[in-house]
Amino acid sequence: MTIFRRVGAECVADFREDEVRVLRKVAEEVVGLLTDGFDREDPVVERLFPDVYPEDVKNSAEFRRFTEGDLKTAKIDQAGAVLAGLPEAGKGEVRLDPESAEAWLRAINDARLALGIRLELTDDTVVEYELEEALEQDAGSARVFQLSVYSYLGYLQESLLEAVIGADFRR
């Protein structure tokens, strides 16, 4: 699996072809969710854009009216940073400056939140057990693949965060 490392002011990782394909697909799906597929009733959208005032519908709607467009644009840009940073095709090296590393961390987090909602994962869910159970039921199922992607994104996020923090990553 890919592990980010610090090289000077950049975080660097070598990605296999299958990792590039998965990350590209995940980032494209996030962009699609936030553009063509944007539906305020979708539980994933609700998780990515939670109500600031859950008990006050009117003030939440007003706050959303002033902030949602910018927040949505930022999330699309962050997913775009992942797409822009990946090799065009096949395997390759990814080099992230501090700004790109931050965008990647946010984009990976959004993707994990979205996937977690789709998989109905909770704070109490132990993903390894879920994956083990899914493998026992049907090793070729979509759930096995999705849980594997969720785990991979967590691993990648942790690796990047350690590279960012571990070497006093300053702008």
Side-chain angles (χ1 to χ4, degrees), residues 107-163:
I108 293 168
N109 188 61
D110 285 346
R112 289 190 79 231
L113 287 172
L115 197 49
I117 293 294
R118 293 286 189 245
L119 290 167
E120 298 179 348
L121 303 179
T122 67
D123 291 340
D124 298 327
T125 302
V126 179
V127 177
E128 292 79 18
Y129 296 149
E130 284 286 319
L131 183 55
E132 200 173 291
E133 186 179 309
L135 281 166
E136 288 173 7
Q137 290 178 4
D138 181 2
S141 71
R143 184 165 180 82
V144 168
F145 178 75
Q146 292 167 341
L147 285 164
S148 298
V149 170
Y150 182 86
S151 293
Y152 170 71
L153 291 174
Y155 173 83
L156 188 64
Q157 185 178 34
E158 182 178 344
S159 168
L160 179 54
L161 188 59
E162 286 177 3

Side-chain angles (χ1 to χ4, degrees), residues 89-105:
K91 64 183 182 175
E93 183 180 76
V94 170
R95 301 182 80 81
L96 303 176
D97 61 25
E99 184 178 331
S100 296
E102 184 176 333
W104 271 58
L105 285 169

Side-chain angles (χ1 to χ4, degrees), residues 50-119:
D51 283 330
V52 177
Y53 310 109
E55 284 82 37
D56 189 342
V57 175
K58 182 180 176 191
N59 281 332
S60 273
E62 187 71 7
F63 185 82
R64 188 178 318 113
R65 185 169 71 89
F66 289 109
T67 61
E68 190 170 81
D70 289 341
L71 185 56
K72 194 182 336 178
T73 298
K75 289 180 179 299
I76 292 167
D77 289 348
Q78 291 155 4
V82 172
L83 293 170
L86 289 170
E88 287 297 318
K91 64 183 182 175
E93 183 180 76
V94 170
R95 301 182 80 81
L96 303 176
D97 61 25
E99 184 178 331
S100 296
E102 184 176 333
W104 271 58
L105 285 169
R106 291 175 188 265
I108 293 168
N109 188 61
D110 285 346
R112 289 190 79 231
L113 287 172
L115 197 49
I117 293 294
R118 293 286 189 245
L119 290 167

Side-chain angles (χ1 to χ4, degrees), residues 3-13 95-98 101 159-171:
I3 297 177
F4 275 96
R5 63 194 180 282
R6 190 58 182 273
V7 178
E10 295 179 311
C11 292
V12 180
R95 301 182 80 81
L96 303 176
D97 61 25
S159 168
L160 179 54
L161 188 59
E162 286 177 3
V164 168
I165 293 173
D168 193 26
F169 205 49
R170 297 180 197 261
R171 293 176 196 219

Side-chain angles (χ1 to χ4, degrees), residues 29-63:
E29 287 181 6
V30 169
V31 170
L33 176 74
L34 299 175
T35 54
D36 303 332
F38 194 79
D39 174 6
R40 202 75 186 71
E41 301 301 313
D42 184 334
V44 171
V45 172
E46 288 179 16
R47 181 66 177 101
L48 293 176
F49 300 91
D51 283 330
V52 177
Y53 310 109
E55 284 82 37
D56 189 342
V57 175
K58 182 180 176 191
N59 281 332
S60 273
E62 187 71 7
F63 185 82

